[in-house]
Amino acid sequence: MNILVCIKQVPDTKIIKVNPKTNTLDRSSAPAILNPYDAHAVEEAVRLKEIHGGKVTVLSMGPPQAKEAIKKCVEIGADEGYLISDRRFAGADTLATSYALFKAIEKLMKLEGIDLVLCGKHAIDGDTGQVGPGIARRMVIPPLTNVIKVEEVDLTGQKIVVRRKIEDGYEQIQSTLPCLLTIEKEINEVAYSPLPNMLRAARYSPIVWTVDDLDDVDIKQLGLKGSPTIVGKMWPPEKSDGAEMIAGNAKEQTKEVLNILLEKRELFEVKGGGK
Ligand code: FAD
């Protein structure tokens, strides 16, 4: 069973700062990490390979530093890693990103065949969750999103059954293979990497492809040129002012809470006249 996992190197969004002048992410303010959802996708691919045999390949689009994220996947247990990296990919929105990844997947399919494509549920920086379904649309394969469990894989019948998270519970879905899954964190625990994997990762050099290594690429669909998205505005998320402890007995505390609510009543005004 050949499984391809798309992985993205992202800034650690728990630490990153926003430049107040330009309103853009100051990527130098945070270390680059493997997108956490993608780590779970790689772990799941390795688990499926252990059961069904085959190979786990990871693919990323990004700058040369993204090799580090690929090496992290080798540590988790991936067999091979490809990075597509070229200035002509730069400035890509989700449409252009899914096109570039699709062209690389097309080439990998010719080289070794792919039964299953995995992506994270979303990337913690861009956060759109569009790239996985975008790739599936281009590959003309079913996208099964928000997967929390792979229930069954039938390679002879070319079928897969998964459990996916929905708003008020979960649903079980059967699909034909190949298909694309987007992976939720609940699917597994990313285990500590065994020493042989760590040693292999330390020595591993991912395979790097430029645009010229891909077949029949429409340059107009790549990078900034192929990106119709316009970012209208960007601002850091507002943090709450924190909690306030109110002293006194229950009666005094209730009185104080009421006073605070009355002071801040304009915050609760409903537009259109009601309160
Ligand atoms: P999601 O759709 O949330 O990601 C879901 C999953 O898709 C991930 O878990 C992963 O499995 C897969 N995936 C996503 N991205 C990649 C990838 N690159 N490689 C492999 N797998 C992937 N970002 C930059 O880093 N550099 C830029 O120059 C840049 N320019 C931009 C210009 C514009 C106009 C816009 C709108 C965005 C730009 N971005 C840039 C952000 C970029 O569009 C997104 O980060 C990227 O398209 C992925 O979208 P996302 O982060 O929402 O991923």
Side-chain angles (χ1 to χ4, degrees):
M1 182 180 194
N2 287 346
I3 307 171
L4 179 85
V5 191
C6 294
I7 63 112
K8 184 181 183 190
Q9 191 183 48
V10 293
D12 190 339
T13 48
K14 287 204 263 358
I15 303 173
I16 198 157
K17 295 194 179 90
V18 174
N19 180 327
K21 283 191 191 133
T22 58
N23 272 337
T24 54
L25 296 180
D26 177 4
R27 288 178 188 265
S28 64
S29 67
I33 57 168
L34 170 64
N35 181 41
Y37 290 89
D38 303 352
H40 289 273
V42 177
E43 178 77 25
E44 193 59 19
V46 172
R47 193 187 72 79
L48 291 172
K49 183 189 91 166
E50 278 164 8
I51 302 169
H52 302 281
K55 185 176 175 190
V56 175
T57 305
V58 299
L59 169 67
S60 190
M61 181 181 91
Q65 302 90 280
K67 281 183 198 164
E68 289 309 311
I70 293 177
K71 289 172 80 144
K72 178 76 200 159
C73 299
V74 173
E75 235 180 80
I76 299 173
D79 299 286
E80 206 78 83
Y82 289 81
L83 173 67
I84 54 168
S85 193
D86 193 306
R87 295 189 79 82
R88 286 170 283 179
F89 293 130
D93 66 3
T94 56
L95 202 66
T97 301
S98 60
Y99 177 70
L101 291 171
F102 162 66
K103 292 313 287 183
I105 293 172
E106 240 184 5
K107 179 153 180 174
L108 285 167
M109 282 191 101
K110 276 188 217 153
L111 289 178
E112 51 201 28
I114 294 168
D115 301 295
L116 186 64
V117 181
L118 303 186
C119 286
K121 182 192 81 167
H122 67 200
I124 58 168
D125 58 344
D127 211 353
T128 66
Q130 291 174 358
V131 171
I135 295 170
R137 172 73 178 83
R138 292 178 189 282
M139 290 180 72
V140 199
I141 59 171
L144 310 182
T145 53
N146 304 74
V147 171
I148 51 172
K149 190 165 187 211
V150 176
E151 305 264 16
E152 192 190 324
V153 177
D154 173 2
L155 286 175
T156 321
Q158 288 286 286
K159 275 188 328 203
I160 187 166
V161 180
V162 302
R163 190 184 286 198
R164 61 183 295 270
K165 196 154 97 176
I166 53 173
E167 211 159 298
D168 48 0
Y170 68 85
E171 66 182 9
Q172 209 177 37
I173 289 201
Q174 180 179 302
S175 165
T176 49
L177 288 172
C179 66
L180 181 144
L181 315 182
T182 75
I183 300 294
E184 291 271 3
K185 282 183 176 173
E186 295 97 305
I187 199 162
N188 55 38
E189 291 278 324
V190 180
Y192 282 106
S193 306
L195 189 61
N197 284 13
M198 292 172 88
L199 293 174
R200 180 166 180 263
R203 287 192 291 260
Y204 186 75
S205 294
I207 299 153
V208 182
W209 281 344
T210 68
V211 173
D212 301 325
D213 293 305
L214 307 179
D215 302 326
D216 307 320
V217 176
D218 175 8
I219 297 288
K220 291 194 297 299
Q221 294 193 53
L222 293 179
L224 207 53
K225 269 192 209 150
S227 300
T229 314
I230 294 166
V231 181
K233 195 180 169 199
M234 204 177 129
W235 63 96
E238 279 173 27
K239 292 202 174 102
S240 86
D241 293 337
E244 188 185 329
M245 295 301 289
I246 297 170
N249 59 32
K251 199 172 170 191
E252 288 160 346
Q253 286 174 328
T254 311
K255 202 171 161 204
E256 183 59 15
V257 168
L258 279 174
N259 282 338
I260 293 170
L261 288 175
L262 282 170
E263 254 174 50
K264 297 185 185 283
R265 64 193 301 168
E266 72 278 7
L267 293 178
F268 308 108
E269 273 179 12
V270 178
K271 298 267 181 294
K275 283 190 182 173

